[in-house]
């Protein structure tokens, strides 16, 4: 007999123990007989077979010799039989952190416990584990995950070369030669990746699209949102396939996948080579404009701004900050590597926090002309920043989309001559959050506002593998539309 096991290789103790027991039983050896053959107490062999102790390699060789098998046979990763696989799964579940947190004494897995009982224990544990994962997506956990993801984006200047490469390869594969990406080009991409597009009127209400991976179909709504680019849902649908996304195991992974999908979608709509060429020329002539970028590639203003943040620092050496702010004054999304001081909570998260009333993202709501770009300089404790902002509409209400740079980089942008200027002392409350003395004296204790509390504030987070998506509704939809055999 020979074996090829390295000293550093460690087997899974539970599987190893069950394999030793299986080989012993097949040879008709009792526990005591194997213990005598390897010069150990029966209790020590029992501890090994139960997966509570992992033998050293020298002892493993002795056990293999006594059972007339190789060490490789003992260390194989597969359970020796179906019953053993069930026992291993239950033992592993009972030794995990979720089961331990319940404070329940583990069930002794013996021959007397039936397969049905073991399967019931395993099913209950899996359901408890699922609920734990859902419960982990608390607002605090979500905000922490958002803060960590934003830190990663900042460290990379929001530029992901691996995603740019994937976009470039797909564009080349369908023969895109430059300029805006047409609907036909998007359809060609889908066809190249093996997907057919199907527009339906009964798409599940919680989804923008549904992909049938089994039959290579992407289902899209027949009614397109006036505020969204109709190409984006298609690109987002197969972007996840291009990126080999698995079902997210936690909220942080869900956020990461969403950021990657949105990045790749923008990289396909505004190809790097063409976008950098346009922006470089605009920088040379000192006339960078989000509107020009939007119009050149026939995308939304928000998409153009997002894409600018990808390329501004890595390809143009311009630090930048970006915000979308709801008309209520709270941040929806934000990114910065320009040292601007976004408001944040104790966890470092900025989404949902109020923006200074004097920042461009807020003052733009007071501008009567919503068709022209709005520019403003804002003096802050961290320096002066220039910003361009526009109002966009969504079903949740109006929101501003803003891109800004430090004062020393405004020379590259159209709109630098703006006379609009404001001063922000936030986070000093005297800047804009504390009412003046006269107002406070007149109304303090004499007002009682009825808060319009968003329902989302009262819920932890939408549950499920894909938050907010009803799996039953999606599966029923797919079953209804699946092609007949």
């Amino acid at each position: 007999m020979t074996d090829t096991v390295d000293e550093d290789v460690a087997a899974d103790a539970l599987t190893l123990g069950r394999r030793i027991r299986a080989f012993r039983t097949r040879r008709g050896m009792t526990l005591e007989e194997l213990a005598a053959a390897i010069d150990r107490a029966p209790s020590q062999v029992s501890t090994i077979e139960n997966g509570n102790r992992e033998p050293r390699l020298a002892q493993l060789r002795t056990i293999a010799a006594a059972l007339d098998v190789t060490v490789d046979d003992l260390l194989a990763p597969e359970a020796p039989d179906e019953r053993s696989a069930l026992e291993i799964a239950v033992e592993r579940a009972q030794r995990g952190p979720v089961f331990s947190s319940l404070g329940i004494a583990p069930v002794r897995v013996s021959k007397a416990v039936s397969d049905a009982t073991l399967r019931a224990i395993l099913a209950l544990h899996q359901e408890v584990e699922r609920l734990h994962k859902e419960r982990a997506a608390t607002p605090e956990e979500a905000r922490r995950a958002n803060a960590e993801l934003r830190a990663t984006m900042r460290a990379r200047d929001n530029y992901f070369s691996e995603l740019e490469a994937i976009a470039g390869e797909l564009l080349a594969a369908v023969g895109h030669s430059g300029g805006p990406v047409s609907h036909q080009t998007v359809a060609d991409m889908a066809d190249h990746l093996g997907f057919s597009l199907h527009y339906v009127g009964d798409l599940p209400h919680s989804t923008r699209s549904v992909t049938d991976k089994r039959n290579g179909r992407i289902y899209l709504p027949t009614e397109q949102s006036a505020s969204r680019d109709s190409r984006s849902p298609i690109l987002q649908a197969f972007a996840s396939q291009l990126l080999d996304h698995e079902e997210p195991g936690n909220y942080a992974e869900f956020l990461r996948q969403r950021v990657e999908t949105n990045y790749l979608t923008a990289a396909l709509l505004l190809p790097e080579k063409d976008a950098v060429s346009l922006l470089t020329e605009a920088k040379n002539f000192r006339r960078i404009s989000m509107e020009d970028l939007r119009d050149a590639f026939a995308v939304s203003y928000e998409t153009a701004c997002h894409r600018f943040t990808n390329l501004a620092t890595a390809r143009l050496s311009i630090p930048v900050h970006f915000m979308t702010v709801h008309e209520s004054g709270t941040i929806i999304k934000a990114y910065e590597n320009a040292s601007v001081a976004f408001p944040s909570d104790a966890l470092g998260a900025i989404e949902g926090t109020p923006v200074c009333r004097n920042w461009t993202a807020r003052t733009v709501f007071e501008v009567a002309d919503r068709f022209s770009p709005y520019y403003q300089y804002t003096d802050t404790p961290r320096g002066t920043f220039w910003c361009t902002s526009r109002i966009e509409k969504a079903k949740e209400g109006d929101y501003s989309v803003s891109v800004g740079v430090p004062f020393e980089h405004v020379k590259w942008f159209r709109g630098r001559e703006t006379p609009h200027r404001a001063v922000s002392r936030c986070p000093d409350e005297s800047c804009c959050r504390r009412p003046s003395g006269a107002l406070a004296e007149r109304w303090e204790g004499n007002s009682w506002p009825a808060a319009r509390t968003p329902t989302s504030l009262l819920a932890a987070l939408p549950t499920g593998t894909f938050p907010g998506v009803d799996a039953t509704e999606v599966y029923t939809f797919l079953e209804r539309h699946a092609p007949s055999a």
Side-chain angles (χ1 to χ4, degrees):
M1 296 184 297
T2 61
D3 62 70
T4 57
V5 179
D6 189 279
E7 288 283 351
D8 296 327
V9 174
D12 172 73
L14 284 169
T15 304
L16 172 61
R18 290 308 191 281
R19 291 187 69 82
I20 290 173
R21 178 181 295 169
F23 282 119
R24 173 177 64 77
T25 303
R26 290 173 194 171
R27 286 188 58 79
M29 295 177 71
T30 64
L31 190 69
E32 291 73 15
E33 288 171 340
L34 177 57
I38 64 172
D39 194 24
R40 288 290 184 274
S43 60
Q44 291 178 297
V45 176
S46 177
T47 301
I48 292 172
E49 289 190 354
N50 288 329
N52 294 321
R53 179 172 170 270
E54 208 170 319
R56 296 179 180 275
L57 184 58
Q59 189 176 43
L60 200 57
R61 289 189 175 117
T62 304
I63 293 172
L67 297 175
D68 195 27
V69 296
T70 68
V71 173
D72 285 343
D73 289 333
L74 297 181
L75 290 176
E78 302 84 15
D81 51 60
E82 187 176 347
R83 167 71 186 198
S84 295
L86 190 56
E87 290 180 357
I88 290 169
V90 171
E91 288 280 15
R92 186 172 288 124
Q94 293 188 135
R95 296 180 187 187
V98 171
F99 192 94
S100 299
S101 70
L102 300 175
I104 300 173
V107 175
R108 184 173 178 273
V109 179
S110 65
K111 292 181 180 178
V113 181
S114 68
D115 287 7
T117 300
L118 292 180
R119 288 193 182 95
I121 293 172
L122 191 59
L124 285 170
H125 176 269
Q126 289 170 343
E127 178 61 15
V128 171
E129 190 171 44
R130 183 187 69 80
L131 292 173
H132 266 253
K133 285 181 177 179
E134 288 188 356
R135 198 171 68 184
T138 60
E140 292 79 10
E141 186 66 26
R143 294 173 77 76
R144 187 178 290 108
N146 256 319
E148 291 173 355
L149 182 60
R150 196 175 67 256
T152 299
M153 295 163 68
R154 189 181 194 277
R156 299 187 63 173
D157 290 326
N158 207 24
Y159 179 81
F160 294 80
S161 57
E162 65 276 19
L163 301 182
E164 300 287 355
I166 293 172
E169 290 171 6
L170 181 56
L171 287 162
V174 297
H176 179 68
S177 57
V181 174
S182 67
H183 282 83
Q184 183 58 55
T185 301
V186 172
D188 290 343
M189 290 180 190
D191 184 62
H192 174 75
L193 295 171
F195 290 103
S196 57
L197 306 180
H198 301 265
Y199 292 87
V200 295
D202 60 340
L203 198 71
H205 73 281
S206 58
T207 64
R208 293 181 183 175
S209 69
V210 174
T211 300
D212 178 351
K213 297 167 68 174
R214 175 181 295 170
N215 297 298
R217 291 180 158 209
I218 296 175
Y219 294 102
L220 300 149
T222 50
E223 293 185 6
Q224 299 293 331
S225 169
S227 63
R228 297 190 183 277
D229 189 325
S230 59
R231 297 166 297 175
S232 293
I234 306 172
L235 294 173
Q236 289 171 342
F238 59 68
S240 293
Q241 312 303 315
L242 278 169
L243 296 169
D244 296 324
H245 284 164
E246 301 288 342
E247 287 192 0
N250 52 52
Y251 196 74
E253 190 176 347
F254 169 76
L255 286 180
R256 178 187 58 79
Q257 290 183 2
R258 188 175 67 173
V259 166
E260 290 178 349
T261 296
N262 289 339
Y263 188 112
L264 185 57
T265 298
L268 289 167
L269 288 172
L270 295 89
E272 180 179 20
K273 180 180 177 182
D274 299 330
V276 169
S277 176
L278 182 148
L279 289 170
T280 300
E281 181 182 9
K283 183 183 179 185
N284 290 338
F285 284 95
R286 301 188 177 219
R287 63 181 189 202
I288 295 175
S289 163
M290 298 304 106
E291 284 79 11
D292 287 351
L293 186 62
R294 173 199 64 188
D295 296 342
F297 292 93
V299 295
S300 70
Y301 183 81
E302 185 174 359
T303 298
C305 292
H306 265 299
R307 189 63 174 137
F308 180 72
T309 68
N310 300 149
L311 305 172
T313 307
R315 303 305 302 273
L316 303 173
S317 301
I318 300 175
V320 65
H321 69 263
F322 164 86
M323 280 191 295
T324 58
V325 174
H326 188 260
E327 59 186 335
S328 63
T330 57
I331 295 177
I332 301 171
K333 302 176 197 172
Y335 163 78
E336 66 84 20
N337 66 357
S339 300
V340 66
F342 285 142
S344 66
D345 63 13
L347 298 174
I350 59 178
E351 291 77 8
T353 56
V355 174
C356 176
R357 295 176 185 275
N358 300 317
W359 282 19
T360 316
R362 293 287 297 277
T363 59
V364 68
F365 286 105
E366 302 169 9
V367 177
D369 180 5
R370 294 198 170 185
F371 294 96
S372 302
Y374 179 71
Y375 312 110
Q376 177 182 301
Y377 289 97
T378 308
D379 300 320
T380 79
R382 290 200 180 181
T384 298
F385 295 88
W386 172 92
C387 215
T388 177
S389 188
R390 289 190 76 97
I391 302 296
E392 300 284 287
K393 291 186 176 293
K395 63 180 181 180
E396 300 85 4
D398 289 354
Y399 63 98
S400 64
V401 180
S402 308
V403 169
V405 297
F407 180 79
E408 57 267 32
H409 289 275
V410 70
K411 59 188 176 183
W412 312 118
F413 290 81
R414 181 181 296 161
R416 59 187 176 274
E417 304 87 357
T418 180
H420 301 124
R421 195 167 196 126
V423 177
S424 169
R425 296 188 307 278
C426 282
D428 183 345
E429 288 191 358
S430 66
C431 175
C432 65
R433 298 185 187 180
R434 187 187 304 159
S436 68
L439 275 176
E441 184 178 352
R442 179 172 176 79
W443 292 108
E444 190 172 8
N446 294 302
S447 67
W448 190 269
R452 181 181 291 175
T453 307
T455 54
S456 58
L457 189 65
L458 303 177
L461 272 177
T463 58
T465 302
F466 300 96
V469 173
D470 185 332
T472 301
E473 187 181 16
V474 171
Y475 295 163
T476 303
F477 167 84
L478 286 172
E479 189 69 22
R480 185 164 64 247
H481 287 275
S484 56

